Amino acid sequence: MESLELVRTWPVDNVAAAVVTPDGRHGSVGDTERVFALASVTKLLVAYGALIAVEEGAIDLDQPAGPDGSTVRHLLAHTSGLAFDERRVLAGPGTRRIYSSAGFEMLAELIGEESGIAFPDYLREAVFEPLDMTSSALTGSAGHGAESSVADLARFAAELLTPTLLDPQTLADATTVQFPGLPGVLPGYGSQRPNDWGLGFELRDGKSPHWTGSHNSPKTYGHFGQAGTFLWVDATLAGACVVLTDRAFGDWAKPLWPELSDRVVDEIGD
């Protein structure tokens, strides 16, 4: 894809990217087999594993998990009240959208306990192996400790476009706003009112500013990571974009990511 060539001009040492449509990979650039740290894009993989655990009956979305009064659903939707990186309660469940890696760590521990399988192994068996994601692994925190390649994440993006491991309705529900209307801070982009989130999936809706493009539809969902990584799926467009870099997210990315996304959306839509 011509639009992907834009990443070659970015101020990063290494970058790889791919665009995926339901009929297969639409285009790629860079070393798609190179393994990068994902940072918070990890949460997409962990959330998918959690949804599989729900369908398998290992856990239930509304069972208690995390702080008093919180559930699995709260943890996935960042409404448990837990702080970002520590197990300190800042608010009552369901009252604020507080982005929390600590909540995902507690969720992973719960799945390990309930399934009897250590969560990194559960994720590998439930998600990575069926999708042939051979370069992917959870090597650290369930909130930000996975590594993967563009080739693997393109396979995952294809799964999001056409689910095979989940009932499509489960994914549809997971990419619908949970606990609507809650304000919160979108990391890197400040206060959003509302700061809508699904079950592990950040929802674009009408957020501004945002890391996706202005041409992305409100039905775009995904995640970006502090490692300079992102994955979005535009449900209206029926397309997805994966970009992995080795430069930490910062001011350099804020104009470049939306510009790329807009060009990708326009090219897919032509």
Side-chain angles (χ1 to χ4, degrees):
M1 290 186 70
E2 184 177 345
S3 54
L4 287 181
E5 292 299 318
L6 191 62
V7 305
R8 297 188 189 276
T9 69
W10 286 5
V12 299
D13 291 332
N14 293 284
V15 59
V19 169
V20 179
T21 55
D23 56 356
R25 187 181 299 181
H26 206 83
S28 64
V29 66
D31 182 358
T32 61
E33 299 295 338
R34 183 184 179 92
V35 174
F36 292 83
L38 298 185
S40 285
V41 174
T42 298
K43 293 183 177 70
L44 294 180
L45 304 173
V46 171
Y48 214 72
L51 293 171
I52 291 172
V54 169
E55 286 199 345
E56 289 182 343
I59 60 171
D60 186 272
L61 284 173
D62 297 313
Q63 79 178 81
D68 288 345
S70 174
T71 66
V72 168
R73 188 185 302 273
H74 286 105
L75 292 176
L76 280 166
H78 298 287
T79 58
S80 69
L82 284 171
F84 165 63
D85 60 355
E86 57 183 323
R87 301 185 184 191
R88 180 166 56 94
V89 177
L90 301 179
T95 61
R96 287 170 57 192
R97 190 87 61 189
I98 302 174
Y99 181 74
S100 177
S101 282
F104 268 65
E105 292 167 1
M106 295 187 77
L107 174 63
E109 290 172 6
L110 175 70
I111 295 170
E113 292 166 1
E114 296 291 295
S115 68
I117 304 170
F119 185 74
D121 295 330
Y122 187 93
L123 188 61
R124 174 175 50 79
E125 294 172 10
V127 179
F128 300 156
E129 289 181 353
L131 297 180
D132 196 28
M133 297 172 64
T134 56
S135 298
S136 302
L138 181 62
T139 59
S141 164
H144 52 79
E147 57 184 28
S148 188
S149 65
V150 163
D152 275 12
L153 290 186
R155 296 182 185 100
F156 181 66
E159 167 70 13
L160 295 175
L161 288 166
T162 309
T164 62
L165 304 182
L166 283 179
D167 186 308
Q169 188 58 51
T170 299
L171 181 58
D173 292 344
T175 54
T176 300
V177 61
Q178 306 287 313
F179 308 98
L182 294 183
V185 173
L186 180 62
Y189 290 89
S191 178
Q192 303 275 349
R193 294 179 177 270
N195 187 23
D196 285 344
W197 223 281
L199 295 174
F201 297 88
E202 197 249 308
L203 309 180
R204 191 192 196 293
D205 286 355
K207 291 173 181 170
S208 181
H210 199 257
W211 54 275
T212 63
S214 61
H215 298 182
N216 282 95
S217 79
K219 292 191 176 295
T220 300
Y221 62 85
H223 222 293
F224 83 88
Q226 185 62 34
T229 55
F230 70 76
L231 185 161
W232 58 250
V233 174
D234 190 323
T236 299
L237 183 68
C241 184
V242 179
V243 177
L244 302 181
T245 80
D246 57 0
R247 181 176 180 183
F249 170 79
D251 288 343
W252 71 270
K254 290 183 177 180
L256 298 182
W257 287 4
E259 178 188 15
L260 173 68
S261 295
D262 283 341
R263 291 199 188 183
V264 167
V265 168
D266 293 345
E267 189 169 359
I268 292 178
D270 284 344

